[in-house]
Amino acid sequence: MWAALLLTLGGVSAQRITLSGTVRDSLQNPLDMANVVAVNQADQTLEGFGITSPEGLYRLQLKANASYLLKISYLGFEPVEIAIATGTDDQVQDVSLQPRSEQLEEVEVVYEIPVSIRGDTLVYNTDSFVTGTEKKLADVLEKLPGIEVNDEGEIEVEGKRVTKVMVEGEDFFDGDSKLASRNIPAKALDKVEVLRNYSEVSQLSGVTNNQDNVALNIKLKEGKKKFWFGEVSAGAGPDSRYTVNPKLFYYSPQYSINLLTNLNNTGEIPFSGRDYWNFTGGMRGATRAGTGTQFTTSASGLGLSMLQNNRAKNIISRFGALNLSYQPAEAWRLSGFGIYSQANTLMETRASRTFISSNETEQTTAKTDQNTRLGLVKFGSSYKASDRLQWNYDALLRLSDEQEGENTLSVSSVTDSIAEKRRQKPHRLTQNSNLYYTLSESHIFALESQYEYADEDPFYNAIREQQPFAGILPLDDTQSRYDISQRQYTQTHRVDAKLDYFWVTSPKSHLNLSLGTLQSSQRFNSAIFQTLDSGAEQTLDGPEFGNQVQYYFSDLFTGVHFKWISGKFTFNPGFHIHHYLARNRQLGSEVSDRLTNLVPDLFVNWQMKQSQSLRLNYSVDRNFTDINNLARGYVFSNYNALYTGNRDLESALYHNLSLNFFSFNMFSMQNIFASLAYSKRIDSFKSSTAIAGINQVNTTINSALDDETLSGSGNFQRTFGRVKVSTAAILSYANTNNIVNSQPQNSRSFTQNYTASVGSSFRKAPNLEVGYRYNVNRYQAGSTTSTYFTDRPFAKLDAAFLNRFIFLADYDYYFYRDRAGTIDNRYGFLNASLSYQKKDSKWEYSVEAQNLTDNRQLNQDSYNDLYYRTSAYVVQPFILVFKIKYEL
């Protein structure tokens, strides 16, 4: 119904006709990707545009009974202009272009083409798509065909996640797209360049597979270059609510400066803990992908509570970020950034967990007070002496100070009141040094190396009324309470290095020889102690209650790959030969493991058309654990879970297969993306759990029981004039096997997520997007099955009225239930804002309202091999803020 309404509104706004035809060269061959635009002669506005199909076809929707100038252009050909007078019937206009006589003297194009294609670069003229209600980059990107911004603020292009955003060719907080999408002002944008098959090193662009690499480059309007620009906003509201949000930008050919700040207690999260850990900083490990080895030096942190949907009971945020670049010489570019984020968060969760093996249900009410301080500092240097020689150096420092206090009331067969404290101050320094040298057109060398140092010190404390893990922990039961603490310390040194040699044997083939290594050294110490009523600390005796472990891992490898192009197909098969050594020392002895292994991989790309392809990737990876799973002494995971490592763990073998289809049709403004991925794990790492009631002791083993996962996704998007229709589906199936109370347990999960929406982008009418999300989660463990459903219709409205007012609103409704009929929750979130800015004024006045429905909770379900969990998570109530913004 809504789709029909939007299409009807678009159709009745003015009677329209279809102008179509073909564009050919002088030999009558069709021209693919030619630009066709129609300029209304009455007001000189660009009324319609299109790009020809591979058959040279174009189609424009124009007003009836109007005069247009049809302009056709194609690289290497003389542009053509044709006067067109439309009537009330559809018209056909074929065009023939003549070759340009002088290729070196291109005629300047004096009109802006909405979309143009230059090789692998897609250029959007943003003024052709915006409606005037956009506030930030994300609002503009959502109007562009083929580009989406997800709920987390991350930018996706043609189904691929963007990890690099540049402004005027300069990195904008390299390694993240969220800061760009939520902070760059929409009014500063001129063009958005999508750089497909992106490679930061020009020498390697023709010899590496970059199909999944996408970057954005933002071009600014002329008045924004060599001048400071930005905005300063501040606001206040009832209940002592406040927000302060200055943003400053400066760009010139020699240097650039970006300053972002945000202080608020309105629940806005400019930089979350999840953002911090996902922030790559543009750092790429030399041996961490594509070599056939998976070895992750994972964090030893305590796993602090995470926000749900970036909401909580109360959030106070303080954020500041500075991004710099400077070019001291033509061949040398320096860059860097610093990010600081502090958040004080209150969370409250009511949850129900049903343990599968014991069939016992635990009801919990947890109240959490969390204080986090996160820091990121990066320095980068890029020196390009010539087209043949380039050296890049990067250093990224991560610092954090995190504390959390949580009070939990646990009700099961035993009722217990538990007070937990967690604190940690980890830091991690990563350095990259990459050298690229082209000896000649046929011989290219790349030397990439990375060094990582990490230092972690998590501390855990639990104060309980009931004795935990009786029979395992020798606690003094004469005390008034059980005050148990645990200290940990983990230190990691890791070096990755790889030398690649590319021999270009022909314009369509090359040989790649590689030689590399991964060297890691870790040590891990831990101790459990009880604090007595007197205040004295009593360390638990016995090697099982403490750890002193050293772990050394070595990987030496060589690889051979050959890539060639045959017609529309690209083939890139190869293999790596590895020699591994893993050695851990603990409990007065040493366990070592040596292995030599060959792992193959294959890449095939079928380039059906310029913007349509099908890719296949197959690889076999050898997976190794790090020190956290090897330490034999007990380590607390939380108040009802202990973990003990397995020093005899061996490696696991992973088979990975993926198919990716991509189709981007500019003629019909249609985008289709689809993917299918399958993974099988042999001798994989399994959880082996001994569980009694709600208490569990976990370890990790190698098992002959194979795990399998299968996932698929699809996305369809098409634009009809000013109306965009989108559909998407994500399906995931997992079949895993673990050990519970010494018995094998098979677990299966099948999750389904579907989305459909239709939205408009009219220039002189209110715009509405309506959609529906449907989610099904089915979990099966042993003989127990649970299924949960979520229906989530949503709507977004933006309207400009009375010339200078802008009204924005978005609404999400949730209907959460289970198949058993024991859960039936319905709630919605409505946010709205009204702003006013006088013409040519730098001041904007607005009122913003969050959670107008005053909903107080979110629902969520989860599953693992031990239990099913459903929860109600408390969120902030209705918030009203009055804001003033000044544009620089």
Side-chain angles (χ1 to χ4, degrees):
M1 180 183 72
W2 289 107
L5 175 61
L6 286 171
L7 291 171
T8 301
L9 286 173
V12 301
S13 59
Q15 184 180 357
R16 308 185 78 82
I17 63 101
T18 299
L19 175 67
S20 60
T22 60
V23 179
R24 301 177 181 273
D25 62 15
S26 57
L27 301 178
Q28 296 305 297
N29 296 313
L31 295 178
D32 184 16
M33 300 291 183
N35 293 295
V36 183
V37 299
V39 179
N40 193 312
Q41 294 293 75
D43 54 12
Q44 293 300 305
T45 59
L46 193 150
E47 182 96 3
F49 73 93
I51 293 179
T52 57
S53 70
E55 294 76 27
L57 298 173
Y58 73 89
R59 185 185 300 117
L60 305 179
Q61 297 292 319
L62 305 176
K63 292 179 181 178
N65 301 313
S67 297
Y68 293 93
L69 189 62
L70 191 67
K71 300 184 177 184
I72 305 95
S73 61
Y74 191 79
L75 187 64
F77 289 78
E78 296 285 352
V80 170
E81 297 184 356
I82 303 173
I84 299 290
T86 62
T88 58
D89 297 325
D90 293 343
Q91 295 178 221
V92 176
Q93 178 66 60
D94 295 330
V95 181
S96 179
L97 300 183
Q98 300 297 318
R100 190 185 303 278
S101 56
E102 282 293 336
Q103 292 284 342
L104 298 179
E105 297 182 5
E106 297 286 349
V107 175
E108 180 183 1
V109 178
V110 295
Y111 57 89
E112 292 285 1
I113 299 173
V115 184
S116 60
I117 299 177
R118 300 194 297 264
D120 287 330
T121 301
L122 195 63
V123 183
Y124 294 94
N125 176 41
T126 58
D127 286 344
S128 301
F129 296 92
V130 298
T131 61
T133 61
E134 298 79 12
K135 300 292 186 180
K136 52 188 180 297
L137 173 62
D139 301 328
V140 176
L141 296 179
E142 289 175 340
K143 303 288 179 65
L144 306 182
I147 302 181
E148 293 185 348
V149 181
N150 63 26
D151 292 340
E152 295 294 325
E154 298 170 336
I155 304 171
E156 297 176 354
V157 174
E158 301 167 0
K160 306 162 190 171
R161 183 169 171 261
V162 173
T163 57
K164 177 180 282 291
V165 176
M166 297 174 285
V167 179
E168 292 293 331
E170 301 296 335
D171 291 345
F172 189 89
F173 294 98
D174 192 14
D176 176 79
S177 63
K178 178 179 176 179
L179 288 178
S181 71
R182 293 186 173 180
N183 288 283
I184 298 178
K187 291 183 179 179
L189 307 183
D190 181 35
K191 292 179 175 60
V192 173
E193 297 179 344
V194 177
L195 310 177
R196 297 180 290 187
N197 301 323
Y198 179 74
S199 175
E200 294 192 58
V201 182
S202 58
Q203 295 106 305
L204 303 184
S205 59
V207 294
T208 53
N209 299 321
N210 303 307
Q211 285 78 5
D212 289 327
N213 297 342
V214 181
L216 289 189
N217 182 41
I218 308 301
K219 305 293 287 185
L220 302 174
K221 294 184 183 298
E222 285 302 321
K224 305 300 182 182
K225 301 173 185 177
K226 296 185 180 181
F227 293 95
W228 286 97
F229 70 93
E231 58 190 37
V232 179
S233 64
D239 302 319
S240 302
R241 301 293 180 183
Y242 66 86
T243 177
V244 180
N245 189 201
K247 306 172 186 177
L248 297 174
F249 308 88
Y250 182 87
Y251 284 90
S252 73
Q254 188 175 16
Y255 66 92
S256 67
I257 303 172
N258 304 283
L259 177 64
L260 310 175
T261 57
N262 191 318
L263 294 83
N264 76 86
N265 66 351
T266 62
E268 181 183 359
I269 304 175
F271 195 76
S272 68
R274 184 179 290 106
D275 297 330
Y276 173 80
W277 289 110
N278 291 339
F279 204 99
T280 66
M283 308 293 279
R284 297 164 303 280
T287 69
R288 300 200 178 193
T291 64
T293 297
Q294 292 187 24
F295 176 76
T296 303
T297 46
S298 57
S300 299
L302 294 169
L304 272 63
S305 303
M306 300 297 291
L307 303 182
Q308 293 186 22
N309 291 13
N310 285 332
R311 297 176 184 268
K313 187 176 183 179
N314 191 57
I315 305 173
I316 301 175
S317 297
R318 300 171 183 87
F319 169 77
L322 177 66
N323 187 84
L324 302 169
S325 70
Y326 175 63
Q327 189 171 7
E330 184 176 353
W332 190 19
R333 170 69 68 176
L334 302 176
S335 62
F337 61 74
I339 298 174
Y340 174 78
S341 176
Q342 181 178 354
N344 302 99
T345 308
L346 299 180
M347 290 173 274
E348 182 175 339
T349 306
R350 297 180 296 276
S352 174
R353 293 193 295 182
T354 300
F355 290 80
I356 299 166
S357 63
S358 63
N359 201 30
E360 187 161 346
T361 298
E362 179 193 26
Q363 305 287 344
T364 61
T365 300
K367 296 181 179 180
T368 305
D369 186 351
Q370 186 183 100
N371 186 6
T372 62
R373 291 187 292 174
L374 308 174
L376 285 167
V377 180
K378 182 190 176 182
F379 169 77
S381 170
S382 179
Y383 179 71
K384 192 170 184 178
S386 66
D387 291 338
R388 295 188 171 212
L389 180 63
Q390 180 174 337
W391 176 55
N392 297 335
Y393 171 79
D394 298 283
L396 177 67
L397 176 64
R398 294 179 182 270
L399 300 167
S400 67
D401 183 356
E402 302 168 291
Q403 300 183 45
E404 177 178 286
E406 185 171 59
N407 294 312
T408 302
L409 177 62
S410 170
V411 180
S412 58
S413 58
V414 175
T415 298
D416 198 0
S417 180
I418 307 154
E420 295 177 280
K421 293 181 181 179
R422 300 175 176 89
R423 65 174 183 263
Q424 52 195 14
K425 291 184 178 181
H427 60 271
R428 184 180 298 262
L429 174 64
T430 306
Q431 299 180 76
N432 280 0
S433 178
N434 302 325
L435 182 65
Y436 307 97
Y437 177 64
T438 302
L439 180 64
S440 66
E441 292 183 357
S442 300
H443 304 282
I444 304 170
F445 296 88
L447 177 60
E448 299 175 314
S449 60
Q450 181 178 92
Y451 169 71
E452 179 180 87
Y453 171 78
D455 195 286
E456 302 166 282
D457 61 344
F459 175 82
Y460 174 78
N461 170 257
I463 300 175
R464 308 186 57 165
E465 297 176 352
Q466 303 292 331
Q467 178 174 354
F469 301 100
I472 297 179
L473 301 180
L475 301 176
D476 185 345
D477 58 7
T478 64
Q479 306 301 304
S480 61
R481 60 182 182 176
Y482 295 94
D483 187 341
I484 313 160
S485 299
Q486 174 182 270
R487 296 189 185 97
Q488 294 182 65
Y489 177 75
T490 306
Q491 186 183 81
T492 300
H493 294 270
R494 172 172 174 163
V495 175
D496 298 74
K498 185 175 67 159
L499 174 64
D500 279 299
Y501 165 62
F502 299 93
W503 176 22
V504 181
T505 56
S506 76
K508 292 187 176 183
S509 64
H510 72 263
L511 177 69
N512 172 212
L513 303 178
S514 57
L515 184 66
T517 186
L518 187 165
Q519 303 291 320
S520 173
S521 175
Q522 294 181 288
R523 60 188 181 96
F524 175 75
N525 300 328
S526 71
I528 299 175
F529 62 91
Q530 181 180 6
T531 302
L532 306 180
D533 290 346
S534 63
E537 295 181 357
Q538 181 173 290
T539 302
L540 302 192
D541 293 329
E544 66 270 31
F545 305 115
N547 286 289
Q548 289 188 342
V549 187
Q550 291 181 314
Y551 179 50
Y552 171 71
F553 177 80
S554 172
D555 175 19
L556 302 172
F557 67 88
T558 184
V560 179
H561 289 80
F562 186 70
K563 182 178 181 180
W564 75 94
I565 300 174
S566 177
K568 295 183 178 181
F569 289 89
T570 300
F571 300 92
N572 191 191
F575 62 88
H576 288 91
I577 299 176
H578 295 263
H579 178 71
Y580 301 107
L581 170 61
R583 184 172 63 234
N584 73 85
R585 295 191 185 99
Q586 57 182 309
L587 304 174
S589 62
E590 179 178 292
V591 173
S592 62
D593 184 22
R594 295 178 183 270
L595 175 67
T596 300
N597 188 52
L598 184 149
V599 287
D601 59 87
L602 173 66
F603 171 83
V604 179
N605 183 63
W606 179 18
Q607 197 69 39
M608 307 173 191
K609 299 177 183 178
Q610 182 176 351
S611 294
Q612 183 171 304
S613 65
L614 178 66
R615 299 195 311 276
L616 178 145
N617 276 285
Y618 171 73
S619 66
V620 179
D621 296 329
R622 179 68 63 175
N623 185 275
F624 292 84
T625 188
D626 73 345
I627 199 169
N628 292 291
N629 289 334
L630 299 172
R632 283 286 292 120
Y634 288 115
V635 174
F636 272 100
S637 300
N638 55 49
Y639 68 86
N640 72 330
L642 285 173
Y643 180 82
T644 174
N646 180 358
R647 65 181 307 187
D648 297 315
L649 281 178
E650 298 179 349
S651 61
L653 200 63
Y654 291 5
H655 291 263
N656 306 296
L657 177 67
S658 66
L659 277 172
N660 293 275
F661 174 77
F662 153 69
S663 176
F664 187 39
N665 190 325
M666 290 300 299
F667 170 69
S668 59
M669 289 295 172
Q670 176 178 289
N671 311 291
I672 301 175
F673 322 117
S675 66
L676 183 67
Y678 171 77
S679 175
K680 184 173 183 178
R681 302 181 179 185
I682 301 172
D683 294 328
S684 59
F685 303 127
K686 305 286 186 181
S687 173
S688 178
T689 303
I691 186 167
I694 65 170
N695 294 316
Q696 52 190 286
V697 178
N698 305 291
T699 189
T700 304
I701 63 171
N702 290 107
S703 172
L705 300 173
D706 298 338
D707 291 346
E708 293 179 295
T709 60
L710 178 64
S711 62
S713 64
N715 186 300
F716 171 85
Q717 183 185 103
R718 183 158 182 171
T719 302
F720 301 90
R722 287 282 176 174
V723 176
K724 183 169 72 173
V725 177
S726 300
T727 60
I730 301 174
L731 307 173
S732 179
Y733 171 80
N735 181 16
T736 60
N737 297 277
N738 287 286
I739 309 298
V740 178
N741 289 338
S742 302
Q743 298 296 318
Q745 179 170 285
N746 176 256
S747 300
R748 300 182 183 186
S749 67
F750 183 38
T751 62
Q752 306 168 64
N753 295 275
Y754 305 96
T755 304
S757 66
V758 57
S760 64
S761 57
F762 304 129
R763 288 183 178 275
K764 298 181 180 180
N767 289 295
L768 177 67
E769 180 188 5
V770 292
Y772 203 94
R773 293 187 176 99
Y774 180 62
N775 170 256
V776 183
N777 295 334
R778 183 178 186 273
Y779 309 124
Q780 179 180 350
S783 59
T784 305
T785 302
S786 295
T787 305
Y788 303 91
F789 306 90
T790 304
D791 294 85
R792 186 183 164 191
F794 63 91
K796 296 180 181 179
L797 173 68
D798 65 82
F801 60 97
L802 298 179
N803 292 325
R804 311 313 304 169
F805 285 91
I806 295 176
F807 176 72
L808 304 175
D810 62 85
Y811 179 70
D812 286 86
Y813 178 78
Y814 294 80
F815 176 25
Y816 176 71
R817 61 202 186 280
D818 67 348
R819 187 182 295 277
T822 59
I823 301 173
D824 189 329
N825 294 320
R826 306 164 193 248
Y827 52 90
F829 289 97
L830 174 62
N831 305 311
S833 68
L834 178 65
S835 62
Y836 172 77
Q837 185 173 18
K838 189 176 180 180
K839 186 177 181 180
D840 299 326
S841 172
K842 293 182 178 294
W843 293 94
E844 180 187 85
Y845 307 91
S846 64
V847 56
E848 297 182 0
Q850 300 177 34
N851 195 7
L852 279 162
T853 52
D854 202 28
N855 176 60
R856 298 300 179 96
Q857 70 177 35
L858 285 172
N859 293 102
Q860 192 176 60
D861 60 80
S862 62
Y863 131 94
N864 60 33
D865 295 303
L866 303 178
Y867 56 78
Y868 301 103
R869 181 179 187 269
T870 61
S871 64
Y873 177 82
V874 178
V875 298
Q876 283 182 304
F878 164 67
I879 295 175
L880 184 68
V881 177
F882 299 90
K883 297 177 68 174
I884 299 176
K885 183 174 71 175
Y886 180 76
E887 296 178 354
L888 301 176

